[in-house]
Amino acid sequence: MSTAAIIPAAGLGLRLGGEAPKALREVGGESLLVHAVRGLSAATAAGLSCFVIAVPAGTEDVVAKQLDPYVGDAELRIVAGGAERTDSVRAALDLVPLDGIDCVLVHDAARSFVPVAVIERVVAAVRAGSPAVVPVIPVTDTIKRIGPGGEVLETPDRSALVAVQTPQGFDPELLRRAHSLDGAGATDDAMLCERLGVTVQTVEGSEDAFKVTRPRDLLLAEWILAERRGQ
Ligand code: C5P
C-alpha cells in the first residue's frame, strides 16, 4: 500500500502580490511548488507513489516539466484547478488511483517547508487507523470571536485552540465521500470530514509548515532555506 499526495497549487496568491501564481513564485531559485514536492518526496516512510497537482489553467505543461525531476519513481499527474481551493482538491482527487492507495495527503503548495517528520507523523496516524488527521500547533495570540460591528462576542479558552496546517491525511474512501458533499465555506479538507460526523485526529505540526501568504513570508522562507542549506 502507498500514499498519494494532492497538492492544490492553483491559487493566484493575490495577498502575496507579484506576477506569477503563488505556487510558481521562487524562493532560493526554485518555485514554492518544487520545494513542496521535494519535501514530500523526502518523507520516505510515507511511501509516496503518486502526486496529483492542481495548477492554474494553462500552466499544466510548464509545471509538469518543472516537477518531473523531483518526483522520483512516483507518478505525476497534473490537472487544472477550480475557482475555490475545494474545487481544486476535488479535481485532483478524481485523478488519484482507486487501487493500492491507503492514505491520501492533501498539502498546500504554499506550505513549502513542512518538515519530513510532520509528513511522516500524519501518514503513520492514518495507517494506525485514524481516517482523518491534521497537523497542528498551539496558537500564541488570544483569539476573539467578533460580531458584524467589530464588537467582541467571546474569548475562547486559548489552551483548547490550535492552528491547523497541512499535509492533512485521509483514508481515501472517506476523502471521496467528503468531497461528494457541497464544499461551500470549507477552508480545509478535514472540515468536510467533520461535516460527515467523522472524528479528526490531531498530530504535532511545526512552525516551519507556515503558509506563504504575504510578502514578508517570502523573507521567512528564504531564511529557513538558507538555514537548511547551512549558509
Ligand atoms: O489561498 P490560500 O493560501 O488559502 O490557498 C491555499 C492553497 O490552496 C494554495 O497552495 C493555493 O495555491 C491553493 N488553491 C488552489 N485553488 C484555488 C485557491 C487556492 O489550488 N482556487
Side-chain angles (χ1 to χ4, degrees), residues 173-192:
E173 190 270 331
L174 169 64
L175 191 60
R176 289 195 175 93
R177 207 151 42 90
H179 272 278
S180 69
L181 302 176
D182 176 17
T187 48
D188 73 356
D189 302 280
M191 202 169 154
L192 295 173

Side-chain angles (χ1 to χ4, degrees), residues 47 67-68 70 117 152 159 175 181-182 184 213 227:
L67 295 184
D68 193 55
Y70 301 98
V152 171
S159 66
L175 191 60
L181 302 176
D182 176 17
T213 306
E227 203 188 35

Side-chain angles (χ1 to χ4, degrees), residues 15-131:
R15 287 168 294 186
L16 191 61
E19 297 287 301
K22 178 159 73 174
L24 302 181
R25 291 288 294 274
E26 291 193 354
V27 174
E30 287 173 315
S31 71
L32 290 173
L33 186 52
V34 163
H35 289 296
V37 166
R38 198 199 279 112
L40 288 168
S41 295
T44 46
L48 270 151
S49 66
C50 179
F51 286 89
V52 188
I53 323 279
V55 299
T59 66
E60 293 93 328
D61 291 347
V62 175
V63 170
K65 203 177 284 177
Q66 195 179 90
L67 295 184
D68 193 55
Y70 301 98
V71 296
D73 291 337
E75 196 179 338
L76 175 63
R77 299 180 177 188
I78 313 270
V79 65
E84 304 290 334
R85 183 186 181 282
T86 315
D87 303 317
S88 298
V89 174
R90 188 175 294 133
L93 186 56
D94 284 344
L95 295 189
V96 169
L98 289 172
D99 295 323
I101 302 289
D102 65 348
C103 175
V104 178
L105 294 176
V106 183
H107 182 48
D108 290 336
R111 295 188 190 272
S112 318
F113 304 100
V114 58
V116 162
V118 174
I119 301 163
E120 294 185 343
R121 263 200 291 278
V122 170
V123 174
V126 173
R127 295 213 163 117
S130 298

Side-chain angles (χ1 to χ4, degrees), residues 158-227:
R158 191 169 72 185
S159 66
L161 297 176
V162 288
V164 179
Q165 307 179 320
T166 72
Q168 300 188 348
F170 302 94
D171 166 76
E173 190 270 331
L174 169 64
L175 191 60
R176 289 195 175 93
R177 207 151 42 90
H179 272 278
S180 69
L181 302 176
D182 176 17
T187 48
D188 73 356
D189 302 280
M191 202 169 154
L192 295 173
C193 298
E194 290 159 48
R195 287 179 184 170
L196 287 173
V198 169
T199 300
V200 176
Q201 183 60 45
T202 63
V203 296
E204 188 185 346
S206 163
E207 284 188 21
D208 284 1
F210 71 100
K211 186 169 67 173
V212 174
T213 306
R214 299 190 173 84
R216 68 163 59 184
D217 297 328
L218 290 171
L219 297 176
L220 181 55
E222 297 274 4
W223 183 81
I224 288 177
L225 204 55
E227 203 188 35

